[in-house]
Amino acid sequence: EYVIPRMLNKEVIADPRGTVTVLFVLIDNFGDYTREKQNPQSSLKFLNACFDKMDTICAKYKVTKIETVQEEYVACVGVTMEEQSIDHKVLLSKLLKAAAEILAVKEVEVEGGQKVAVSFKMGMHTGSIVAGVIGSKLPRFRLFGDTINTSARMMQKGQPGTVQFGEATMKYVDADKVVDNSTR
């Protein structure tokens, strides 16, 4: 909401944010689905069903959706003006609840009521970013900084059905609520 008036005034938007947590979600079985269907329309319907489900869950917990890229979904807490005055532990707990609910989704409904199995893997990282708008034709709200890159790497190295994060995020989490899967 605070971005649009600034864009209309042709202001360059590059706002630093001190503490955010970025979540990357990968639809882990997307490649298998597309190889099986070999149909772009079916693939898009599957992605849309998955992303609609994630949108609903993120809205429920007031987690900000940033973007989707191919079979990846990116969300964040700590980036909006309203969140700047809220304890990051509170914000992160919302993101973790949303992540857990997304991981609990085992199937999505595509056209004709057909249910399709789905699995996710996730990575998150906490740190600073710069939030900005890129371009004037089809402008995009984007996040920049090492926090984004680290979140993506956490997702890439994660295991299906899990959320991978490191010490930077762990500082804001109640340790007794975390399950360590590193020995599995």
Side-chain angles (χ1 to χ4, degrees):
E1 298 116 23
Y2 76 98
V3 172
I4 294 171
R6 294 169 65 194
M7 288 174 60
L8 293 173
N9 288 328
K10 307 271 189 234
E11 182 181 337
V12 174
I13 300 169
D15 299 334
R17 294 289 184 254
T19 305
V20 301
T21 300
V22 178
L23 172 70
F24 271 73
V25 181
L26 175 75
I27 302 171
D28 192 52
N29 63 327
F30 182 70
D32 295 338
Y33 181 82
T34 58
R35 279 188 292 280
E36 178 185 308
K37 293 294 180 185
Q38 297 182 355
N39 176 333
Q41 290 86 358
S42 293
S43 296
L44 284 174
K45 288 175 183 177
F46 176 65
L47 284 175
N48 196 51
C50 292
F51 292 152
D52 278 351
K53 183 69 92 171
M54 290 184 229
D55 285 345
T56 300
I57 293 168
C58 285
K60 174 180 173 181
Y61 293 102
K62 297 187 169 132
V63 170
T64 302
K65 175 184 179 179
I66 302 299
E67 66 180 333
T68 59
V69 179
Q70 297 176 340
E71 71 269 29
E72 295 177 10
Y73 186 97
V74 183
C76 184
V77 293
V79 73
T80 67
M81 292 297 291
E82 300 81 29
E83 292 174 324
Q84 298 306 295
S85 61
I86 300 172
D87 180 2
H88 198 72
K89 279 187 173 191
V90 172
L91 297 174
L92 182 56
S93 72
K94 291 178 181 186
L95 184 60
L96 288 168
K97 287 174 186 173
E101 194 167 320
I102 291 168
L103 284 175
V105 174
K106 301 301 179 199
E107 61 185 21
V108 292
E109 191 173 310
V110 292
E111 79 181 305
Q114 176 191 5
K115 296 192 187 252
V116 177
V118 65
S119 66
F120 305 102
K121 66 180 185 177
M122 302 180 178
M124 66 172 62
H125 185 68
T126 303
S128 61
I129 54 106
V130 173
V133 176
I134 303 300
S136 55
K137 183 176 175 136
L138 297 174
R140 302 275 309 263
F141 182 75
R142 302 293 304 262
L143 305 180
F144 295 90
D146 192 51
T147 300
I148 306 303
N149 301 332
T150 304
S151 298
R153 283 193 304 275
M154 290 286 186
M155 176 204 63
Q156 292 163 352
K157 293 177 186 273
Q159 296 297 313
T162 66
V163 181
Q164 173 133 338
F165 56 88
E167 290 180 26
T169 301
M170 192 63 192
K171 291 189 319 191
Y172 296 94
V173 177
D174 293 329
D176 62 330
K177 295 183 179 166
V178 176
V179 175
D180 183 357
N181 287 330
S182 62
T183 58
R184 291 186 182 178

